[in-house]
Amino acid sequence: MSRRPRVLNAFRRHRNTHGHRRRRDEFTEAIVLQPNRPEGYEMRARLWLQRGFADNALIDITDALRFGGYTVDRYRLKAEALLAAGNNYGAADAASEIMRRGPLDARLFAIRGTAYLRREMFGEAIRDLGYAIENDASFRDQLRPALAEAYFRRGKALEKSGRVKEAQDDIARARELGWTDGSAVAHR
């Protein structure tokens, strides 16, 4: 009996399983069975990042990049993990690298804008977060926590750069979209 279908089934089931430990164990088993395939590392990195373990996510996404090569999704995941781990310079560099190599994606501008905000580069943060807000159709077409967060972060950058009225407008818009007490709440 081939092990390949068993490994692929673990990848397919990950969205239908609610227990993160079970999914982590399935991805770990997939990695043990096929250590040179990037999918197990990539999926486990996503899981680590969702659970707040940015350092573990960085380890796994580095292995996914080593075994599977560059893809926009893998590199974006690396940028997200770097940002979550507090490596703002690395996150901004990774997002910029993706932008140089491939299609522009509003999520990359949001990642880089957040990294710039944390580095107190307010002009760059305002520019990138503004691009994320204005140019991502998925942000405009539905209420999403990511859009609320982008408005909130741009508001903070505007506030720190002395543009108080614009900052108040962005923060109010973030709250309309569900941003409360430092976290976005999706409207259903």
Side-chain angles (χ1 to χ4, degrees):
M1 181 170 138
S2 171
R3 292 181 181 201
R4 183 173 167 83
R6 186 174 173 194
V7 171
L8 291 177
N9 286 337
F11 298 137
R12 290 185 188 121
R13 280 195 315 267
H14 86 280
R15 290 191 178 113
N16 299 327
T17 309
H18 295 295
H20 74 279
R21 286 188 184 134
R22 185 171 169 192
R23 288 183 288 172
R24 182 197 62 207
D25 292 346
E26 287 177 350
F27 298 140
T28 301
E29 180 182 352
I31 291 167
V32 168
L33 292 173
Q34 295 181 334
N36 294 332
R37 288 186 53 114
E39 294 88 353
Y41 296 103
E42 184 176 352
M43 299 308 290
R44 192 170 67 179
R46 289 182 195 288
L47 180 65
W48 285 128
L49 198 53
Q50 289 170 355
R51 302 298 299 165
F53 297 101
D55 292 335
N56 292 357
L58 278 170
I59 292 167
D60 277 349
I61 199 59
T62 300
D63 287 338
L65 286 163
R66 181 169 44 119
F67 293 123
Y70 172 89
T71 67
V72 171
D73 285 338
R74 285 186 196 126
Y75 224 73
R76 184 185 310 115
L77 184 60
K78 180 179 179 180
E80 291 172 1
L82 286 165
L83 188 62
N87 185 341
N88 300 316
Y89 290 94
D93 290 345
S96 295
E97 178 63 24
I98 301 167
M99 292 174 190
R100 279 192 290 276
R101 289 182 173 209
L104 296 181
D105 179 343
R107 289 176 291 180
L108 298 173
F109 281 92
I111 291 168
R112 192 171 72 176
T114 300
Y116 285 149
L117 176 60
R118 290 179 181 172
R119 290 168 55 186
E120 298 185 3
M121 299 172 67
F122 304 122
E124 291 85 350
I126 293 166
R127 180 197 62 220
D128 281 1
L129 292 164
Y131 184 91
I133 291 167
E134 301 300 326
N135 292 300
D136 190 349
S138 63
F139 276 174
R140 288 191 314 268
D141 293 342
Q142 55 185 323
L143 294 178
R144 290 186 37 188
L147 178 59
E149 184 176 359
Y151 269 111
F152 179 78
R153 294 194 189 287
R154 186 174 71 174
K156 286 299 182 185
L158 287 164
E159 180 181 55
K160 299 236 185 218
S161 64
R163 296 161 62 182
V164 178
K165 175 63 176 127
E166 292 172 88
Q168 291 171 340
D169 291 344
D170 272 3
I171 291 172
R173 179 72 177 130
R175 288 197 173 106
E176 287 173 17
L177 294 171
W179 187 266
T180 57
D181 299 323
S183 64
V185 178
H187 292 223
R188 302 231 183 248

